[in-house]
Amino acid sequence: MIMNTHFLSQSPFSSVIRRIPGIPRRIIRELRALGEFVYFYFFYKTPVITGPYEFRRLLIGGGEPLPEIANAFRGIFPDKVAEKIKEADLICDHVFDLLGSGPTKLSNKGKSYQPIDWHSDFKAGYRWDPNTFYKRIKYGHVKGVDVKVPWELSRFQHLNTLGQVYILTGEQKYLDEFVNQITDWIDTNPVAFGVNWSCTMDVAIRVANWLVAKEFFDEKTLPKDFLKKFYASIYEHGRFIRNHLEYSSLLTTNHYIADLAGLFFIAVYCPFFKESSSWQEFCVRELSKEIQKQVYEDGCDFEASTSYHRLVLEMFFYCKFLGKRAGVEFQQVYRDKVRKMFEFSLYCIKPNGKIPQIGDNDNGRYLIFSSRPVLEHKYLLSLAAIYYKDLAFKLRQFEFDEESFWLFGLKGKEIYAKLPFRQEPLASKAFPDAGWYIMRHNNDYCFIVCGPNGQNGRGGHAHNDKLSFELMLGGEDIVVDPGTYCYTNYPEWRNKFRSTVFHNTVHIDGREQSDISGDLFVMTSGVDCVLTKFDDDGQSINFAGEARYIDKDIVHHRAIQLWKDNGEVEIRDGIRGAETASVNLCL
């Protein structure tokens, strides 16, 4: 995880420090942090943003009038209206289920609005001091405490549900809750202080969700005092993101993409900010660079995780989608890469609509318009079918998805209905840059890992899963990946879940395929993967590959054969090279 490795400090003290020669970098960082603290603590003033705000509805319902969108939803998804209202009522009661917590009330009881504690891991009973400068926030230092809990809550990805139910019911309480929660957050999270400013990615995802959810609420219905506070905070978010980008010349990841996406959303939704034009140009340029750096030519995200592929795809796609609606166009190479990312998802998604969990998964999403199991990715195919007007993405077993409705409205439903179903069955597919190989025949499916560690070999969100596989036969899961664990609150369990023995491969001499004893987000490559066969001979689909240990003369060879006529699978493993003490098959 790369945090705040590059920023242009808002403190004038920073420019003075940079002119002093001979100071070690560590001291410079400390002095710059001190200067920034002094600036925010003693001199910073909340900006005053006055209207007119020129806010446009760009995403929700394809621009159709909100009452028409609500009526269409009732007609298309009549069985989901009551479910939506129940979800929104829980949000109004401040009952949240985050990262497996189970439904938990996060405020006191009372007839009027009761403040939410935005600063705690309520699962562990730990609270960060909201008065701590963001650079002094610590996490991973107390066993069992997960910083992602307050971050996840403060992403505000639940606000779209409030907006949806507001237009479905017209009840004032949902608008009031939207106003009160954002006001509560702003009042208790002064810029640059507290846990919710310590990760720029989460700052960016939060502001994008605020802006999108606001589309459900007519500006005339929102209190003027709230609008001033809202846009002042949006502007603060924008300046903070721009000045605290998670950028490094050595490596950029999904964090930097999130930073850019959030800033781009601000620039497009709020053209009345003086920096919006420059922010927009910067983000379009940088996003175009990052999609070339972080997405392989085969369309797979470079972090060796199917879940992070979805997160990155959402961010790149929603920027492209928002830009198109606002008249901002990305280059053809960017558009082509986004389509390739959808194409990988088309082949990756299993017949049951879910994905194999390869590598890490922290439930990360960018925008959420409907509740679903974390591994269910079939909504991506509905989005792609409508956006590209391409029947290749319209599979017979999947229906028009609610997620698509909120973006395309009734017109989207009409486009989807006119598209015929894909006639050509999905065949097996190789994604050689990522080293992911997918066998498919009817409802038989096998996903095989035979590629590099993610993030250009750094590891990041990769696991020791070389030559591991997931297998589904007749639409039923037979062999699955065990997944992942929380990142920082239980380091030993994180390492267990990314270890060789926790994957469906071979464990040789009790050694890890790659070293995981150090940084929780580093995995120095210890194995080279080589594909030796991947074909379909008409009767069977065949894979063969090798995991060659770099520092020892050992090669693990695995061959997988899937017979089409009866769905039988044969897996053959072999070890050659130096003498080994033990070889264990892990399933």
Side-chain angles (χ1 to χ4, degrees):
M1 186 179 298
I2 299 176
M3 303 295 298
N4 300 321
T5 56
H6 173 75
F7 62 86
L8 305 174
S9 175
Q10 295 176 8
S11 166
F13 185 59
S14 178
S15 61
V16 175
I17 295 171
R18 282 194 294 267
R19 290 196 294 266
I20 301 175
I23 301 179
R25 289 185 180 181
R26 180 181 61 81
I27 302 300
I28 290 177
R29 286 196 298 268
E30 290 296 323
L31 289 174
R32 290 176 71 181
L34 176 61
E36 193 179 11
F37 168 77
V38 169
Y39 168 67
F40 276 111
Y41 192 82
F42 292 104
F43 301 106
Y44 181 78
K45 293 183 179 179
T46 301
V48 177
I49 309 296
T50 57
Y53 299 113
E54 306 170 40
F55 184 89
R56 294 183 291 168
R57 279 206 307 114
L58 295 167
L59 283 186
I60 302 303
E64 297 168 7
L66 292 174
E68 293 183 15
I69 295 171
N71 286 333
F73 184 86
R74 294 189 196 95
I76 300 170
F77 304 102
D79 57 330
K80 291 192 174 184
V81 175
E83 179 184 329
K84 281 280 181 189
I85 294 173
K86 183 179 179 180
E87 289 180 23
D89 287 344
L90 287 173
I91 294 168
C92 290
D93 289 338
H94 302 166
V95 175
F96 295 93
D97 185 351
L98 300 175
L99 302 175
S101 67
T104 307
K105 187 172 178 60
L106 301 185
S107 67
N108 297 325
K109 294 182 179 180
K111 292 183 179 180
S112 60
Y113 178 85
Q114 299 296 311
I116 294 172
D117 186 356
W118 304 100
H119 306 278
S120 69
D121 173 359
F122 58 86
K123 295 194 295 181
Y126 181 89
R127 189 171 192 268
W128 283 266
D129 185 348
N131 298 313
T132 300
F133 186 53
Y134 80 98
K135 277 186 171 292
R136 300 296 182 232
I137 292 291
K138 294 181 180 180
Y139 52 87
H141 61 299
V142 179
K143 189 172 183 178
V145 174
D146 190 357
V147 71
K148 291 190 71 66
V149 175
W151 286 354
E152 190 79 10
L153 176 64
S154 286
R155 287 184 174 188
F156 278 88
Q157 291 173 318
H158 57 275
L159 286 186
N160 280 325
T161 301
L162 281 181
Q164 291 163 354
V165 174
Y166 175 69
I167 68 170
L168 286 170
T169 65
E171 291 189 26
Q172 182 70 23
K173 73 173 186 177
Y174 302 112
L175 182 148
D176 291 342
E177 187 66 22
F178 173 82
V179 170
N180 288 335
Q181 280 198 26
I182 292 179
T183 300
D184 179 15
W185 192 95
I186 293 171
D187 288 345
T188 55
N189 289 270
V191 64
F193 288 89
V195 68
N196 293 311
W197 293 98
S198 62
C199 176
T200 308
M201 177 182 192
D202 289 274
V203 175
I205 292 176
R206 172 170 59 250
V207 75
N209 279 271
W210 282 8
L211 289 166
V212 173
K214 188 187 172 297
E215 289 200 28
F216 290 101
F217 304 95
D218 191 317
E219 198 123 317
K220 296 177 183 178
T221 65
L222 295 168
K224 291 183 179 179
D225 288 346
F226 167 74
L227 288 173
K228 286 183 179 180
K229 178 171 285 193
F230 177 80
Y231 284 114
S233 186
I234 296 293
Y235 182 61
E236 288 179 320
H237 277 67
R239 290 190 66 197
F240 189 90
I241 294 167
R242 182 63 183 92
N243 294 321
H244 300 82
L245 295 168
E246 293 164 284
Y247 174 84
S248 168
S249 59
L250 299 177
L251 179 71
T252 48
T253 69
N254 65 87
H255 278 246
Y256 186 50
I257 297 171
D259 302 345
L260 296 170
L263 190 61
F264 180 73
F265 269 53
I266 296 171
V268 172
Y269 274 112
C270 304
F272 43 87
F273 294 156
K274 61 182 179 180
E275 296 95 341
S276 288
S277 178
S278 62
W279 287 349
Q280 179 179 296
E281 291 176 5
F282 170 76
C283 290
V284 169
R285 183 174 65 251
E286 288 297 299
L287 284 166
S288 298
K289 290 179 182 177
E290 291 305 311
I291 203 168
Q292 291 296 93
K293 290 164 57 178
Q294 296 194 40
V295 179
Y296 296 128
E297 287 303 313
D298 61 15
C300 299
D301 177 62
F302 85 140
E303 297 201 63
S305 162
T306 49
S307 296
Y308 277 87
H309 175 91
R310 187 262 300 270
L311 171 62
V312 170
L313 169 55
E314 281 193 353
M315 294 189 291
F316 280 133
F317 171 69
Y318 282 124
C319 286
K320 173 178 178 286
F321 189 56
L322 180 71
K324 186 175 182 179
R325 290 259 174 100
V328 180
E329 196 61 81
F330 285 84
Q331 295 177 347
Q332 186 63 45
V333 66
Y334 182 100
R335 302 198 297 270
D336 290 345
K337 275 288 182 76
V338 171
R339 184 183 174 97
K340 285 184 176 181
M341 295 187 79
F342 275 116
E343 289 171 353
F344 167 73
S345 292
L346 171 66
Y347 286 90
C348 174
I349 293 169
K350 299 191 288 189
N352 62 2
K354 298 180 180 180
I355 60 157
Q357 184 170 311
I358 306 301
D360 278 346
N361 178 12
D362 69 348
N363 297 8
R365 298 283 305 277
Y366 188 59
L367 301 174
I368 299 176
F369 296 101
S370 63
S371 300
R372 64 185 68 247
V374 67
L375 294 180
E376 185 187 286
H377 288 200
K378 64 183 181 181
Y379 71 94
L380 294 172
L381 305 187
S382 183
L383 289 177
I386 298 168
Y387 185 80
Y388 295 110
K389 298 182 176 63
D390 189 344
L391 61 84
F393 295 97
K394 186 177 178 181
L395 305 184
R396 193 173 297 276
Q397 65 264 43
F398 303 140
E399 300 175 347
F400 174 71
D401 195 276
E402 180 190 339
E403 205 100 9
S404 297
F405 170 81
W406 292 112
L407 290 173
F408 297 101
L410 189 57
K411 292 179 181 177
K413 178 67 167 67
E414 293 170 352
I415 291 171
Y416 193 81
K418 289 178 181 178
L419 283 174
F421 287 108
R422 178 188 177 112
Q423 296 301 311
E424 180 185 359
L426 284 173
S428 301
K429 185 77 171 178
F431 295 89
D433 297 321
W436 288 342
Y437 299 89
I438 302 171
M439 296 177 166
R440 298 191 77 118
H441 180 67
N442 297 331
N443 285 328
D444 298 333
Y445 171 105
C446 186
F447 188 111
I448 307 159
V449 179
C450 183
N453 283 342
Q455 297 181 355
N456 302 332
R458 176 184 171 90
H461 294 297
H463 287 187
N464 279 338
D465 55 5
K466 308 306 177 273
L467 298 187
S468 184
F469 66 98
E470 275 213 11
L471 178 65
M472 169 177 275
L473 296 176
E476 298 292 332
D477 285 321
I478 305 299
V479 178
V480 297
D481 188 281
T484 190
Y485 205 74
C486 299
Y487 291 165
T488 59
N489 50 335
Y490 289 104
E492 68 278 12
W493 277 101
R494 165 154 177 74
N495 280 336
K496 284 183 180 180
F497 272 84
R498 62 180 186 149
S499 68
T500 307
V501 74
F502 265 54
H503 294 87
N504 307 314
T505 186
V506 169
H507 196 211
I508 302 172
D509 288 344
R511 62 185 290 139
E512 291 294 338
Q513 291 179 339
S514 296
D515 182 22
I516 55 173
S517 62
D519 191 299
L520 293 176
F521 296 94
V522 173
M523 181 184 289
T524 304
S525 295
V527 170
D528 285 333
C529 286
V530 177
L531 177 75
T532 58
K533 185 177 186 179
F534 188 69
D535 65 20
D536 183 337
D537 61 16
Q539 294 182 325
S540 64
I541 308 165
N542 307 282
F543 165 88
E546 294 183 345
R548 301 173 179 174
Y549 285 76
I550 294 172
D551 64 346
K552 195 171 183 180
D553 183 22
I554 295 176
V555 177
H556 169 209
H557 174 86
R558 168 164 280 178
I560 301 177
Q561 187 173 23
L562 171 63
W563 294 92
K564 292 184 175 182
D565 58 349
N566 57 15
E568 291 185 358
V569 177
E570 181 178 292
I571 302 170
R572 299 183 301 276
D573 288 296
I575 307 296
R576 70 173 187 267
E579 184 177 344
T580 60
S582 64
V583 177
N584 296 312
L585 178 63
C586 306
L587 284 176

